[in-house]
Structures are given as C-alpha cells and as structure tokens.
Amino acid sequence: MVNRDELVVKSLGPCRVESPMLHLLKPRERSYYNVDPADRVLFDDTASALARRGSSPDDIPGFEPAGPRPEIYFDPSKTHAGIVTCGGLCPGFNDVIRALVMELHFLYGVRRISGFCNGYQGFIPKYKRPVVDLTPQSVSQINEAGGTILGTSRGEQNAGEIVDCLERMGVNVLFVVGGDGTLRGAQAISREVEARGRKIAVVGIPKTIDNDICFIDQSFGFQTAFSVAADSIHSAHAEAKASPNGIGLVKLMGRHSGFIACYAALARNDANFVLIPEVPFRLDGENGFLAALRRRVQRSGHAVVVVAEGAGQELMESATGADASGNAKLGDVGVFLRKRITEDFAAANLELNLKYIDPSYSIRSVKANSFDAVYCLRLAHNAVHAAMAGRTEVVVSRWHGRFVLLPIPLAVRDRHTVDPNGDLWMSVLESTGQPAAFG
Amino acid sequence: MVNRDELVVKSLGPCRVESPMLHLLKPRERSYYNVDPADRVLFDDTASALARRGSSPDDIPGFEPAGPRPEIYFDPSKTHAGIVTCGGLCPGFNDVIRALVMELHFLYGVRRISGFCNGYQGFIPKYKRPVVDLTPQSVSQINEAGGTILGTSRGEQNAGEIVDCLERMGVNVLFVVGGDGTLRGAQAISREVEARGRKIAVVGIPKTIDNDICFIDQSFGFQTAFSVAADSIHSAHAEAKASPNGIGLVKLMGRHSGFIACYAALARNDANFVLIPEVPFRLDGENGFLAALRRRVQRSGHAVVVVAEGAGQELMESATGADASGNAKLGDVGVFLRKRITEDFAAANLELNLKYIDPSYSIRSVKANSFDAVYCLRLAHNAVHAAMAGRTEVVVSRWHGRFVLLPIPLAVRDRHTVDPNGDLWMSVLESTGQPAAFG
Amino acid sequence: MVNRDELVVKSLGPCRVESPMLHLLKPRERSYYNVDPADRVLFDDTASALARRGSSPDDIPGFEPAGPRPEIYFDPSKTHAGIVTCGGLCPGFNDVIRALVMELHFLYGVRRISGFCNGYQGFIPKYKRPVVDLTPQSVSQINEAGGTILGTSRGEQNAGEIVDCLERMGVNVLFVVGGDGTLRGAQAISREVEARGRKIAVVGIPKTIDNDICFIDQSFGFQTAFSVAADSIHSAHAEAKASPNGIGLVKLMGRHSGFIACYAALARNDANFVLIPEVPFRLDGENGFLAALRRRVQRSGHAVVVVAEGAGQELMESATGADASGNAKLGDVGVFLRKRITEDFAAANLELNLKYIDPSYSIRSVKANSFDAVYCLRLAHNAVHAAMAGRTEVVVSRWHGRFVLLPIPLAVRDRHTVDPNGDLWMSVLESTGQPAAFG
Amino acid sequence: MVNRDELVVKSLGPCRVESPMLHLLKPRERSYYNVDPADRVLFDDTASALARRGSSPDDIPGFEPAGPRPEIYFDPSKTHAGIVTCGGLCPGFNDVIRALVMELHFLYGVRRISGFCNGYQGFIPKYKRPVVDLTPQSVSQINEAGGTILGTSRGEQNAGEIVDCLERMGVNVLFVVGGDGTLRGAQAISREVEARGRKIAVVGIPKTIDNDICFIDQSFGFQTAFSVAADSIHSAHAEAKASPNGIGLVKLMGRHSGFIACYAALARNDANFVLIPEVPFRLDGENGFLAALRRRVQRSGHAVVVVAEGAGQELMESATGADASGNAKLGDVGVFLRKRITEDFAAANLELNLKYIDPSYSIRSVKANSFDAVYCLRLAHNAVHAAMAGRTEVVVSRWHGRFVLLPIPLAVRDRHTVDPNGDLWMSVLESTGQPAAFG
C-alpha cells in the first residue's frame, strides 16, 4: 500500500539553531508519548503487516482485533444476556445500553435481555433492586438523556452471590459497564464462573470519565466531558476578566489523571495555569505556584486556574479513608487552593476577586455528544461480538484507532495517566505559557 | 511495558455456531480496516519498539514523528512566516490560524507573521488582495467564530508568481491550510522554491471536511461537521414521523467519501438508509433502493434517508465540467432522489410526505467544537515545529493517535474513503438494518 | 400601587435639535406599535383598575382573564378529553401535549385522554388513523424531542364527521393545537356541536411558527425558531465574509408576516438587508434593492440578505393554486433572488460568491427552548382551566404578558403582521442600516 | 380595531362543579398577577385609547413611551457619551454596550464614546482604572462573549467625585447598566448634576439576573439565565435517578425573588420541590419540607429540590454584614439544606445519595441567547433615544410588551418579587405537585 521511501519527509537542510523551546525540551525523557524524532511510527500496525515485510512478529505484543466472527460460541435463541452499569455517572451510559440491546436483538436475535439495577447491588438479594426487561422498544429513546436508566452504585459485591444470581436466572452473557473497580469485580465474577465450570461470558465496556483506564485510546464520554468542562473554564474566564484582580478557579474531575483538565484547558485557551496529579508542584517560594499566579495577576489583571481534583494532594494534610468504590478519599484541592490564594493575596495586600467553580455533577450527567454517541455504539457492538464468540474476562477497547479486545487483568493492572514527558502535557505548556515546573 | 501473553484474551471454548450476521460477513474481504481475527494489533507501533523486540524494522514503512526539535533550522528572530487558507469552509480554520500565530510568537519568538487573503489569490498581484499582519492581539478571539478571518478561494494559481511574492516579501516559512487541490499547489510551490535554490519551508495543515485525505486518522473539523449533520438528520426524523408516509431526505457533504454520512447516521440512530459514493446501489427492481424504501415506509409509516453528495453519480445523466478547484461537477443526487422517490410513490399510488434538507452551508461554517479546537491547536503547534526545523513539502498528520509528518506527495496520491469491507460501514449496516447491497 | 406623578420622567430641557434619524421617522404613521410620545402606557391594564380610578371602563374592550376557576363545568371523573395537533411542525407541540395530559390527570383527575393522530384526519374513518391513549407515563419524556408524537397533517376535514367521531367516543373536551386554518376548523366543529345541542368544549392552543395569529403577544415556538434561524444567518455571514464579493442569502419562514426574519436578523446583527412581506420593495433602479446590494458588496466586500418566504411575491410571475391547508402557493423568493442577484452581478461584470441557505425544516423540527417550554406549559394549563370551566370556541392567549381567553372568531379575523410603522421594523432599520424603502 | 363584544368568550353553561384545584385556589388573594375572572384585560393599554372611548384617562398612571423623537436635546456632533457597567455579571452586558455604541455612532453620529472600567470605580482617581475609547470596530464582535468588556465592580462611589470626572472629561450623556444599587447611584449622580446646574443626561439600562427590578416585564439576561439553570436541574435529575434514594439539590440565584428558580423549574419539569424567598416554609413536623421530601423519595426513589439562594433565611442563624453592593449577606441555604436533609435521612435510617449543585457562576457568565440579544439591542436603542432627547434620571423598561421610560426613583422604590397569589407560583404548584405550603 505504501513503501518506506514514500514516507521520508523533505528537509531544507541540517538544523544548527538552538530552539527557543529548549528549556521545555531538556527535562523531557523519551516515552511512549514522546518518541525520538529519529524513530518511526509504523504505517500498518498489525502483526501480519510485519510478517509480510519479513519481520518476525511472533513475540511482539499485539491485541486480538474486535469484530464479528463468522462462527460464534453461543446459540442466540438460547442466550440470556444481562447488563449492569456501575460507578459514577458518565456521558454515554444510555448509548451503550441501547446499542447492546439493539445489536443483541436485531443482529443476533437474542430475545432475553435483563437489566440489573444500581450496579452490582442489582444481583444481591438483600438490596431488593428490580430486574428490568430490556427491549428495542424500551431503549429506543434513552440515548437522548444523560444518566443511566439502570441506575448505578459504587462498591463491590460478593462474586459468589453474583454468580448465584446469574445461575438462578440462567444468564449466559454478562455485560458490565464500569471503571477500574468495576472491572476488578468483573474479573472476580469471571474467575468464580470458571471455578464453577460454568460457561458465562463476562465482557466489560470500560467507563471512566477521567480517561484513566490503561490500553484504551480514549474512554467513552471523555470528549463530552472535557467539552462541558471547557465551558466552565470559559465562564471562569469571563468572571476573572470582569473584576479587578479577578481569578477564576475551576476544579475538574481527575483523581489520578489530569486528562480532562488538560484537554479542557486546550479547548478554548482560557486557562493560564493547569495543575494535574501527574505533575507535582510547590505553592510557596519565588518559583512556587502562588508567586507565579500573583505575578500573572499583577501583570495582566486576571488569571484562570484549572486544577484536577487529584492534584496537590501531597500539599494538604492527608485525608483518610476511602469511598464505597474503594477509592482513597481526596482532600478538596479546590477549597484548599481558594484558601491559600486568598491568604497569599491578603499577605501581599492585593485586591482579589476569586470565583470558584466546581462543575463536576453538571459535567458527568449530560448526554453524550455526537462523537461519543458513535463511539459508544461501536464499543457496544464489539462487546456483543466478543461475548457471542465466547470471549470472557475481556473488555472492548480502541487502540490506535482500531477496536480490539483487552484482557481485564491488563486493563486494571495500572492507570492511564498524562505523561509529563509526553506531547499532551507539552501542548498544555505551550498553550498556557506556564513554567515547566513550580518550585 | 507489556508482554505478549498478557494480551491473550480468554475464551469460553471453540465457536461452532454459525453467526446470524454471516450474510453481512461473507461478502467482506480483508482490508486495512477489516483485520483477520487471528491477526494482532501491535501494542507499540514504533520502529524502535520492533527493534527492541529483535525484529528488523528497517524496511518497514514508518512516519517521522512530529514535535519540537532541540535544534531548528531557522533563526526565529530573522524568520518571516506566512499563512494562507484555501478551499471550502471547514470548522477550525480560525483555530489553526490562531494557534500558528501564538506558537510562532510566544514559543519561538517569530515577530513577522503575514496573513495572505482569499487563498492562493492572495499572492497574485492582479487580485489585489490585502496582506494582513497577524499578531497575538489580532487573533486572540478569532476561534470563537466560524469561517476564516483570512478568507478563502478555490483554484490553483501559478506557482512561479506565488514564489515571486514570497521572495519579494522575504517569507521563509509558509503555512498552507487546505485540502487535496491546495496541497498539490503547495507541492508545486515547494518544487519551485527548490528549483530556485531558495530556503523556504512549505508546510501544510490538511483541511477536508469530507475527511478524505489519505494517511490521516481524521481531519480537523470533521467531528464538528458530523455532529451538526446529525442534528439535521434528527430534524428529518421529526419531520418524517410527523406526517403519514413521511420521508426525511438529507443530503450531506462527501464528494468521494461518505464519512460524514456514516458518522452522522450513527450519532443519533435516526437514519434507515445511508447511501455513499463508495457503495454503489441500484434504484430499481425488487432489491433496489426504491422498493426497499417503499417497503420500509409501508411497514413503519416513515423513513429517513441520508445520502452523501457523491453517491449515485452513475445513476444520473452525467454532469460535466469542473469547479474552480478542479473538482468534477457532481449531479445533484438529493434533487435526483427526491424526484425518483416521488415518482415511485406516485406510481405505487401511495401517499408521500417528503421533506428534503440540504444543510451543507450551515455545517461547514460553524465554529469548531471542543475536540476539534484541541486538535487544530495541536496540528498547528506541530506544523510550526516542522517548519522551524526546516521540514518542507510536508503536512502534519495524526496517525494511530500520534502526530506525525507526512510528505505531501503521499497525502495527495490517493483519497481516503470508507472501506466497504471495513468496520465503519459494518457499523452502519448494523445500526440502520439496511441490506448490504441494493440490487 | 403607583400614582401618576411618580411616572413622570425628568427632562433636561426642551428639544430643539433636529434628529439625524428624521429620515426614518418622517414616513412613520402612528399605530398600535408606534405610540405618540405624548401618549401614556397604562400601568395597570385591567378594567377594574380603571374603575378604581373613576373611569368608566364598561365599553372598553377587554379580555377575559385565563386561569383556574373555583367552580367548573365538567365533572372530571366523567370527562373524556381529546387532543389533536395540526399543520406544520413547530417547536413545542410535545410540550403542549405533555402539559395538557399532566394537568388533566394530576390536577383535575381526568383519566380518559385520547390523542387523535395526523391532525383532523384522525377523526375521519377513511384515513384509518389510530387513536392513542395518553397517560402521564406515555408523555413524560416527549418534551425532549421535536415534532409531535401525535403526528400532524394539513387541511380541513368535514366538521360533521368530526363531531360524529367525538359523539361516538364520548369526548367532552377537545383541545386543538394549530394555526389559522386549524382554528377555523375548530370554530366549525364548535358551531356543529352547538347546532346539535351538545356540550363539548372546543379549546384551541394557537400554533404558528410565523407568529402571525392576531391578539397574541407571541406564539409558542417562535423564540426557539428565530434563535435557530439566527444561527443560519450567522453561517451565511461566515460564508459571505470568507469569499471575495461573498453574499449569504437566507430564506426564512414567514408567508405573510416577517417576524422570524426581523427577530433573527436582530439577534446576532449579521444581516445587512431584511426583506419581509409587509414592506414591498423594488429590485431595479438606482434606489432598488439590487443596486443597494451591489454598492454594499463593493464597499464592504460582502453582504448578508435575509428574506421571508412571503416577501416580494408581487415581483414574481404569480404562482397559482393552494396547498392542503388552503394557503396560496408562494413563488420561491429565495431562488428568485438568487437568480436576479446573479444576473445583476454578471451584468455589472462583478465577481460573485453567493451561498443560499434555506433552513426551514431544520428550524421547525427542533425541540422547544427553555422559554418556549415554560410558555407551552402555561398555555396548556390555561387551556385545561378554560375547557374544564366550560369555555368553548376559544383559544388561550397571552396579552400584555397576561394569560387571557380569546374567542376564535377574533383570532382568525385577521393576521398579525409586522407593522411597518412600528418599533420592531424601526429596530431592524436601525440595526441593519438598510434604507427605509427600496425604490 | 376591535370592539367589546368580539372579546366575549363563549361558555357551555354555568359552572356548578367544585374544582379539584380548590385547595390551591382558596388561599390565593387577588393581586396584580391574579386578576378576578370577571375582570378584563384591556385590549389597548394606552391613555389615548381610553380617551377615544370616552373615558378620562388623565389621572390614570401611565408610562412615557420610549422611542426616537423627531427633535432631540443634544447636538450629536458635540456630544460625548460615557458607558459604565456595574454589579454582578449577567448575560447581555456586551450586547448592551455594543448596541449603545452602534446606535450612537451610526444613527446619531456621536463620535466620542468612552467606556469607564470596573463600574463606578472607573470614575474615581484613586482606583486608576483606564478609560476605553469605544468604536464600532472595537465592539463589533463583543456580543459573542459573556461577561463585560468594561469589567464591573460592586459598591457605590461618591457622586461628587463621579460628576467631577464627567465634567473634567466633558461627558454629556452617561449610560449606566446595573441593578438596584447601581440605579440608586445613578440617581445620586443625576441629583448632583442637577444641583450643579449641569446638563448631563443619566440614563439607566436595568440589569438584574434575578429579575427583581420593579416595573419591568422582565430584565435582560433573565431568559438566558433560567435556561442554563434548567440544564443544571436536568443534571440534578439525572444524578438523582441514577442512585438509590437519590436527591438532586440545586441552589440558584435569587436573593429576594425566586423568578429564576420558578422558571427554571418549569422549563424541563424535573423539579419536585421549589423553595423561594417569597414563600416561607417549615422544615420540621409532619407537614414540613423534610417529611414531604422523605415521603417523596420513599415513594418514587428519588427527588429534585430547587432552592433560591434567598429562601429559608429565617431558618438559619442569621448571617450578618453586607457585601460591597450593600446587599445583606445571606446564609448559604444550599449547604444548610444539604446538612438538614442528610441528618433527617440518617435519623430515619434511610440510605441517601445527595448531589448538591451550585451553578451560579456558570450561569451568569454565559453570553446572551437570541431572545436576550434582541432585547438588549432594543433596550439600548431606546436608552440612546431617551438620552439624546434629554431625558434623565430614567431607566428604559418594557411594560406590557412596550418599551417605556421609567423614572429611577420608582424603579428602586421596591423589589419585583414572585407573587405567592399570582399565576407564576400557581404554575409551579401545578407542575411540581408540591403542597401549597409546608407546615
């Protein structure tokens, strides 16, 4: 399709001028997201392409492609599918539910589809959650609303009890829509099924508004989320500019990963400072954040600060405990920064008009935008294909733009975070003009 | 980072049931977008990753990664940059202009940036188009509006005259934002520069609302465009459902490539039929489109048809001639289908309430959504990096999610089209339920 | 509450300078919408307020206030309500249906509510349209979509057949949502009911996207409509500015009344010329529209023209016939102007880049915005109050901001049009800068 | 135009059935917003209309109509206009500034227009705020952004110092855009001007996002504001429905007036309880709010509560002090309710998933929607007309749909509040189903 030489880029001549960006480039180490310029991105990233070229790709890691198979494992007319949605709200839940049902019903002819309510609680007798029959009729309009028609909850439940329920109801195929903790739960369910010698496929559709699941290009709902977040930053900008020494401070989602903060800050270019968990910062001192902020306000009259909720945790007296999902409780960095900025300006005897915006609930509850709607649909289709072909303990993913199948253990092994050496963070530094490090 | 075995997906057992989707699968040939299930998608798609694994990637095609270089070719303080926007409107033009100027000014310290007006006409004396000084001040708010502040025009201009102008004005670095024809023009400019022994970098930012440039994951403005297009389809759906035997017929952009039609149809699931240039169809006969449409309306009371402007050209008496960009004039397939559907229903003595919507100008003139805004910004940053490092006759691209540099000759060698064997078209078939072929 | 003297406005002194706007003011005659400055707008516009002041308001025209009555005519537990929606789509149909059902069910306890499908056809046996049971459950989400769940159709049907149907089904209360022609039909139904000595209340909710029903401050859906229309004008503006000698030409709804064109043109201030049915214009001659447009384009490089569909009919060879609603068929003024402008520029040997946008179907099919949603709700509530109190041959209306009851004969006696002497048209002249008259 | 009899509504017969809504109707007293059904709303609410009918309208309160006058007081070529924006942000500020400048420049030919920055601080030397030249060029795009390009501040400044500044700069005409406190300031300026025997017109454009200025149909920005607020309620609804015993609690603007809460609650019908300052409520007891909320959640599984910031102040330990605008500091009713609801559910041993949303800054900083954009434009035009005609100590207003001139003393005499006996609150009760009173 294309040969090597065609991909060679012309150059006017050797580069002998030191880049004015060198101060930003020097501290960057090579990484997956910061490739050596002398390296190359493969045109065709499949193992077969390598083999055709004479390379031996046998021991090179590669994903199983997703997609429909000519022969499948389950007999559709005897298949009972279950769907459950878990964790915090995220744009696209209903799109996924809808597409699962439509695909199972119309493409495969599966007629029994049960929706379990309020996450894993829906399988446990003591919670008394209803089970809902899902039909094309009942789901046809649900993608026009945010939230999830099945409800959700946080927290794990006993895998044994869940498999008891699946067995009692004769569910063969279980679709689990959720994040890190939820997928660990799905893995436990799958292992329990295996231990009992049952044939129940457990397939995940990865959900994380923070975009923090590994080995996934981007999680569904993420684009919708950062788009709404960008509007909040725009509001903060309008507020900041309207008042003398105005500061707009926006706290966004991102417990461990600052993707929403980064993308939202890039979207409308209103932010002057972006603080994320992956890049620690100091508050005090001449090169600290507070001094940089103060200088910016004195120079320009206003500033906009975007902070991901997981940023700066090391600066606060540590919060303790965990929520029902097992997530460590975070200190509220937004409230903390508001206090510290206020004190800092007071100490410098400077007027301050700080407006603090925390839009999280308004972001995660909107319906999916058009891109995410398409993406949810295609993830769901591929989840159905995988399940009907008997794949289990697996989540559907998109990697390099291709839909692939990802073993759950790998998906939950680590977190996807913003690479401080990568091109996204470089874009943030370029766009905001903030220093590469505070302190 | 990850080893081979970790990527193996669990399976419940061998697949022995024939898939109910087999009729859709059988006609599909393997392709770049329809990978054999036994194949693998590489985890790390760089040449260096292969080398680390012991493969010899030397002769495997790979792109030069984009990004800032520690040493650059041009001396920023002596650099004069030019920017020109060409062809039809597309969401994001102003985002690109803004980001080019900001990056050149603040990151590299380039102080002379000239905007040439109305496409390549801006270089040619006889058109008397003004040249605009571009500064951070003058571009700071332009991303809030659609269109392009530099204006645009279709059509090529003499490369010699253009290089005369660049030489007269001392422009060292030229950024060209445009599509297929525009990039061919940029190639001609680059060749002329080379022939004269000059050192002027010519760097393209690929613009095509149709998403039809090769070797680019997705072109800027595309997501915005299909999102607005999806709203038009939603309107057509409301109209169709409101009237007895209602048909909503929507013509969308897509001269050679049906991407907008496909994605817009998937976004809100309102379409029942999608017609694209890549998949020819017959109108007449029992298995033709008209009979299928008629049956659908009789069964369900209404239908929504989405057609890309380049579809069905072989069915019309051929239009002749070409527009100023050298594009062949297309017959108006929307008007043609409206006529044929109307005649068909009349012949069948059926009531018909057909509403025809042609939203193209309202789609291409809106401002970029948040995703495209970020994407434009990063394309522009990488274009600046490439130009300052002396790369020329090149366009910035994103491939497999990575920003890369793509030689112009390759970008214009062919068109990016929807693969009839690929996963996108499969998604459309799954979602609409339309037959794999008409006729 | 307030006395006369408190309303006297302070003045710096007598006005002795001739206004630069005098050329716009001179041709204006006094009208309902162009009050003499020496006149006064009453603080309290109720008859009782006059009486308290000692005036005798007996013979002064006044509306019956809408609203709930302590005693009503129908016994809710024995009431069967019917709802029908007629004519072209308009944002808010579903909001009205929803609010009628909710109010009847929850506030009055009416349990039998039938929806008749596809307008008046729904009552006539030969069309075989279904009758739909409407319940709070079935309508709870319908306001999130445009269109009407009951469908619609144009055209009258025989009042006798309709009343036959109402009698057969025992409908006591009929809600008719529609425009001019529909309300005439409602009047005929009401008269037939009266002639038969039956007690069936016929209550209209006035629907006209053109805002052309008399004695109504503003019709529902109008604000949504002009808001979407303003976006189309904005697109036309982006297109016009992007091309040398660019003209954006937008045709909007408005058969007899140019309200949408006027308000949409004012919303984002992109229009340079607004043409409406109420203000005839000449095309040719030095002071004609074409010459004015040509001068504008030569001076500024681009122009945006907004034309209501009913404008300039006298300039075209008259179209003949009528549509199913009895509306006279209009010549297509958009296509006509496109042709004439193109010819005019060609004759003057001027480049022209004209983009023509006709967004009507995309405007009328969207869902109601928040204002219209509230307005629909309150109109529907008041329609229920009126019907339950036995009012008939009546439409609910808002007058001077108050909800009132308006006899149908008055509502259909005339059309509401833009007053060429009024303040709205003056605002358009001030905002566009176009001359008070062409020719 | 219309005579008395034409306005008589037909009735099927006397009303003898007690309304099921009687419990809502009984406690309502007649008011301006709750007219006796036997009363009448005048068709033409002008004094001249009364006179034509033979009534003597001399002593009936009436507003001076707004609009352009044939003769004006100021000579445009010698006029220097000033503009200042004050108080909290509100959608439409920039639309007003833009329209003032355009109208002064193009319609009247006023060439000197100065913008004073950060409210009244802009006139006071010690604050060192800049003065900005406002031209059609500089304001042409500002309506596309929220906020105000002039900045704003709270609080009064010394009228003497302000008039000193106006005299020094030769400002003849001052436009003040602001609310209650700002208009009091404008009155003081006007009085000081008068005391000095100067001829400086002081004209207000009333700004209040709460819609709480008297004698104004609706303030600009209000429709935009409640529309965005309705989206927050929709988010709260999605959150509430997604969790077992979910409660969405939304705090909206409205220090003294619950208009935003009422309209936003009506817009998408998601709210179950609306709490406003005008309708006191009890928390405790069998008929209190907490018990009603608990019952609702137990019955339906979730609930949405909307509270205006000024509601329930009497229930909290009183906050003290005032902000810079002289507004009494309010207790935070949102945080207070969150605490009390949480305690109440804990005491009842009920699960609770409460999500609290406080969207105020995101509401007030957006740009005006199309309706408000038109409204701002027309208010500004009429402000210019009034000022050029030498009117002073006046604000422009719309009353009964007509633009009128309102003396400032009257505008600030009282507050516009939701009438607990009026039709708006009745609509809220009808729509939410909440009891007429708690406790």
Side-chain angles (χ1 to χ4, degrees), chain A residues 227-249:
Chain A
S227 173
V228 180
D231 290 340
S232 287
I233 300 175
H234 204 55
S235 288
H237 191 223
E239 290 282 357
K241 283 207 304 185
S243 294
N245 287 8
I247 291 181
L249 172 61

Side-chain angles (χ1 to χ4, degrees), chain B residues 204-411:
Chain B
I205 294 99
K207 180 235 58 163
T208 153
I209 204 166
D210 290 355
N211 194 33
D212 62 358
I213 298 185
C214 270
F215 310 112
I216 295 179
D217 282 356
Q218 211 168 66
S219 52
F220 76 78
F222 175 72
Q223 291 204 10
T224 306
F226 87 71
S227 172
V228 180
D231 290 340
S232 288
I233 300 175
H234 203 56
S235 288
H237 191 223
E239 290 282 356
K241 283 207 303 184
S243 294
N245 287 6
I247 290 180
L249 173 61
V250 183
K251 186 178 76 171
L252 294 177
M253 287 92 90
R255 298 177 61 82
H256 304 277
S257 308
F259 288 104
I260 288 182
C262 289
Y263 274 93
L266 292 175
R268 300 180 77 168
N269 302 292
D270 294 316
N272 306 110
F273 300 95
V274 178
L275 305 172
I276 62 173
E278 295 89 337
V279 182
F281 58 96
R282 285 184 52 207
L283 285 176
D284 301 308
E286 195 52 29
N287 298 319
F289 167 70
L290 290 172
L293 174 62
R294 215 187 316 116
R295 283 192 297 267
R296 152 81 202 186
V297 170
Q298 290 186 283
R299 192 175 63 244
S300 307
H302 69 277
V304 173
V305 181
V306 175
V307 60
E309 60 178 330
Q313 292 299 315
E314 65 283 2
L315 303 171
M316 294 178 274
E317 288 176 35
S318 68
T320 52
D323 71 10
S325 294
N327 299 321
K329 274 192 186 159
L330 296 177
D332 189 331
V333 68
V335 170
F336 172 74
L337 282 182
R338 178 172 58 180
K339 179 167 171 292
R340 291 299 310 274
I341 294 168
T342 304
E343 290 167 359
D344 181 71
F345 272 67
N349 207 19
L350 286 170
E351 183 178 3
L352 172 66
N353 286 291
L354 189 153
K355 305 282 160 57
Y356 175 48
I357 301 182
D358 178 354
S360 302
Y361 291 134
S362 299
I363 290 172
R364 50 186 238 169
S365 53
V366 302
K367 74 173 187 177
N369 73 7
S370 284
F371 171 83
D372 279 322
V374 175
Y375 188 31
C376 288
L377 181 95
R378 298 178 78 186
L379 282 171
H381 286 183
N382 282 306
V384 171
H385 298 321
M388 293 308 289
R391 297 299 184 279
T392 192
E393 209 176 300
V394 72
V395 296
V396 288
S397 170
R398 206 179 50 170
W399 190 249
H400 300 167
R402 297 182 193 271
F403 288 93
V404 299
L405 301 181
L406 170 67
I408 291 182
L410 204 58

